[in-house]
Amino acid sequence: MSSWEISFCSSSQETRSQSSPLSAGASSWDTYAVTMYELEDKPKDLIKVTYEKLSTDEVAESVKSPSCGAVSLFIGITRNHFQGKKVVRLEYEAYISMAEAEIKKICRDIRNKWPTIQHISVHHRLGLVNITEASVIIAISSPHRNESLEAVKYCIDTLKATVPIWKKEIYDTEEYTWKENKECQWARNEQK
């Protein structure tokens, strides 16, 4: 298993604006902890392509920031039907290093389009994904909701269109279909 991830440090320390005076009795440790927390809160891109189950809590927590009032989240889960067929599970395959490189490009694009975005976390599962389990979770934080909401939509739409991850849909009859996303640019190019 290969994954690329930038670690994110969090703190339960309450933050104070550097311009506000320290409250009476505040120690130099409090000042140091607040300053360190603010320094550690540089924008981060967290990318994980894994065979492990995905955690919504982990992804959402990884993008929280004291400078942001919004965390927008998308969770793609396996549903039990598709066009009248009963789906029993999905299986995902990917060329992991290429998938991670494409997701990094999406993160760069998001930062260019929405400069106020703070943290971006994209986790995609590979292998067997049962009904109601998450196959992809995206979380993005920003000072205000519009930017993170728009960025999350852009992220999932672009991921489906550009990232080389293949989905095998398995039905209750044990028949299966390798699915291409309608948005997938590289699959449309192969059909021409």
Side-chain angles (χ1 to χ4, degrees):
M1 174 181 74
S2 169
S3 69
W4 177 81
E5 185 173 356
I6 301 172
S7 63
F8 176 78
C9 298
S10 66
S11 172
S12 62
Q13 186 72 17
E14 185 177 318
T15 61
R16 294 182 191 93
S17 168
Q18 287 184 336
S19 61
S20 68
L22 290 173
S23 60
S27 70
S28 60
W29 169 250
D30 292 334
T31 305
Y32 173 77
V34 169
T35 304
M36 288 305 296
Y37 186 76
E38 290 168 354
L39 291 175
E40 292 173 353
D41 199 39
K42 293 179 182 169
K44 294 177 182 63
D45 299 334
L46 300 103
I47 298 167
K48 190 175 193 180
V49 178
T50 182
Y51 286 89
E52 299 169 9
K53 279 190 173 184
L54 303 181
S55 166
T56 303
D57 289 342
E58 175 189 341
V59 177
E61 285 294 320
S62 72
V63 299
K64 284 186 177 178
S65 168
S67 65
C68 293
V71 169
S72 296
L73 191 66
F74 172 82
I75 308 167
I77 63 171
T78 301
R79 65 178 171 262
N80 65 2
H81 67 281
F82 182 78
Q83 295 182 344
K85 295 181 181 181
K86 184 174 180 181
V87 175
V88 293
R89 68 185 176 275
L90 299 178
E91 292 179 19
Y92 287 89
E93 291 185 11
Y95 180 45
I96 294 173
S97 62
M98 183 183 278
E100 291 169 340
E102 289 299 318
I103 295 169
K104 287 179 198 177
K105 287 180 190 175
I106 295 169
C107 292
R108 283 194 300 272
D109 289 347
I110 288 169
R111 293 192 181 286
N112 286 332
K113 290 176 181 293
W114 296 278
T116 62
I117 293 298
Q118 184 67 7
H119 303 304
I120 303 169
S121 186
V122 180
H123 290 203
H124 203 297
R125 184 145 168 220
L126 300 177
L128 177 69
V129 183
N130 288 314
I131 304 302
T132 72
E133 290 182 348
S135 55
V136 61
I137 303 175
I138 299 167
I140 299 178
S141 59
S142 62
H144 305 285
R145 69 181 175 272
N146 284 342
E147 295 88 351
S148 62
L149 287 168
E150 291 170 5
V152 164
K153 182 180 183 330
Y154 174 85
C155 188
I156 188 60
D157 290 346
T158 308
L159 184 147
K160 291 177 78 87
T162 63
V163 178
I165 296 176
W166 299 275
K167 176 172 70 174
K168 182 179 179 182
E169 197 169 70
I170 301 156
Y171 309 108
D172 62 343
T173 60
E174 290 305 313
E175 295 175 311
Y176 63 86
T177 304
W178 283 100
K179 305 294 289 207
E180 295 175 351
N181 291 315
K182 294 175 189 169
E183 307 95 329
C184 184
Q185 295 166 355
W186 46 267
R188 282 186 292 185
N189 292 339
E190 289 176 1
Q191 294 173 354
K192 292 181 180 179

